[in-house]
Each structure stands twice: as C-alpha cells, then as structure tokens.
Amino acid sequence: MAHLMSKGTIKAASLQPYLSAINDYHEGMGYDGPAKGHSVSRAVKGMASLQVEIASTQDAEETVRTWLPTRHVTKVHAYGLAMRPTVRAAMELQRACTYVVFAFVTFGRPNTGVSMQKSHIAVTDDVISVALHKEKGRGHVRLKRRLAIPAAGVEGLVQLLGHWQWARDSGPVTDREGYWRLPWEQGRLMTAQTNDWMQLALGTLRCLPPEGGHFSGHSTRKGACACARAVGALLEKCCFLGGWSQLSSAIHAYIDPTAGPDEHMEKFFGWTTPRWRA
C-alpha cells in the first residue's frame, strides 16, 4: 500500500482489486489472506485522507486530465490505416493507433481494454460485436455486456482492426487469446500500458493537449462521452456504452457541455444518435 501511495497513480477507492489479488494468492498457497481486517481498513482510510490533503495543496498550475478531441483521433486513425508494419517498433505503433481509436469509439475503460481476448471481438459485414469482460464494479454480474457497433457506423474501423490483427498474427503466435498482445511479449498486459500506447500514438503524430492539460488512459473515454453527447446521443445510450448506471451521476463528470459538434465528432459518433441510418 505504501508503494502504491508513493507511485501516486492509484486512488484509495481503487485499492480493492489489489488487496483481493494479494489475499487470493496467499489463500491459494494455504495461508491466511494478509490484506484484510481492521488495520488494513484503517490504512485504506488513511491513504484516502492523505490523497485528499495532497490534492488540496497541489499547485494550481498542475496539469489536468483532458478529454481527447476527435481531430486527434482522426489523425491517429488515418495513420493506422496507412501502416503496414513489419518490424517491432512499427507493430507497436500500429497497436497504439488501433487501441486509441477502438477505445475512443467504444467508450473503453483501460482495465477492460487491456484484458480483451480475441474471442471478445467479432467483425462481420454488418456489425462489430464487442463482449466486455472484467468491467469495474461488475465482478458479481455473470452476464457480460455486449456492444454492437454498425460496421458502417465508423468509416475505416473494420479495416483498421484488420490491419492490426494482420500485424499481430504475422509472426509466431505465442498468445492465442490476448487481443492486444504482440508475439514477443511475456507476462500479463497491465492497465498502465494502455497509457503508454496512447502516449506513443499521440506523441508520434504530435497530437498535443491544450496548455495546462494532459492526456491519460481515461481521455478516450471522457472524449467519447463529450463528443457523443455533442452530436446528439441520448444520455441513456451513453450510459450503456460506457457502463454507467442511469441512476448514477458519475457520467456527468465525463460530459463537457461546452463541446460543440463538428464533422469529426459526427464521423465517430453519428451512429450513436437517433437520426443515424446505415
């Protein structure tokens, strides 16, 4: 917990998966789970209090997380479509570009995206079907959500996914399940790597955040919600696509009411509106 606190990338409210994993490992080895009990609960509360205190005293000029605008995603999309990678660095960039566009269109959570399996994504002439597993807060729900994106809804998305899958499977296939894993990669992909992929794609194309802001793994999710609402998507549809409860106010933290519709937003999210026709 002290290590995660020092990293500064994990909120106290998001600690439970880490604690559960520690307990599961120890219990599987025949030991008592160490990450439970009154002392651990107090430590979590203390961590939360410290994080609030640190946040309140941070310099006012510190950068803030910014939603990803569609003009940047358009550049990434076009670049990914033009690639035919054959070397490692290019294959990593192809993955980065594809991930950014895919996460943007699907309102994707980084932790859900990085755990995608090949069987979770199916593409036909009519629809891109995405089965969402390992969603935050849905560990007790046996029935997983499935998104159906019209194949014609986002021009070039089917082709982009095809380019990535070709690059991924062009060498020796060491992982027959992981959707985002490259042949030479070992071990489990971590959620933080999605931020690395985003920085690689945006940095390569010089897609910069506004002054005082920064892009992070959740910028695609925040941008998707802001842009879909800007072009006329119903709130309940945004809630479904993003996995938010319609009874929760959480979605409003992702909506930017100042975002005005433009041609790029329509390209990526026109399919989410009541007026869309294939």
Side-chain angles (χ1 to χ4, degrees), residues 9 12 25 67 81 85 104 112 127 135 140 149 177 200 216 221-222 239 241 261 268 273-274:
T9 56
Y25 177 81
W67 58 270
L81 282 173
F104 190 65
T112 304
V127 68
E135 289 195 273
H140 62 288
I149 304 170
E177 297 299 328
L200 174 61
S216 70
R221 184 167 166 80
K222 193 174 180 71
C239 285
L241 291 169
F268 287 105
T273 66

Side-chain angles (χ1 to χ4, degrees), residues 46-144:
M47 181 175 174
S49 298
L50 279 173
Q51 288 178 334
V52 170
E53 183 177 342
I54 291 171
S56 66
T57 58
Q58 284 176 332
D59 183 43
E61 294 183 358
E62 184 180 5
T63 60
V64 295
R65 185 167 65 193
T66 305
W67 58 270
L68 189 63
T70 46
R71 67 179 185 278
H72 289 347
V73 185
T74 297
K75 289 179 66 175
V76 172
H77 191 189
Y79 194 85
L81 282 173
M83 293 186 71
R84 294 295 186 276
T86 57
V87 297
R88 284 193 178 192
M91 293 170 73
E92 289 172 353
L93 182 55
Q94 176 79 72
R95 170 175 62 186
C97 291
T98 306
Y99 174 80
V100 168
V101 176
F102 182 78
F104 190 65
V105 171
T106 59
F107 293 58
R109 284 190 176 97
N111 64 320
T112 304
V114 79
S115 63
M116 282 277 181
Q117 302 293 300
K118 294 177 183 178
S119 60
H120 295 171
I121 300 176
V123 180
T124 69
D125 291 340
D126 300 319
V127 68
I128 302 170
S129 179
V130 183
L132 299 174
H133 294 247
K134 297 188 177 180
E135 289 195 273
K136 181 178 179 181
R138 289 176 175 265
H140 62 288
V141 181
R142 295 184 63 187
L143 182 63
K144 305 303 180 183

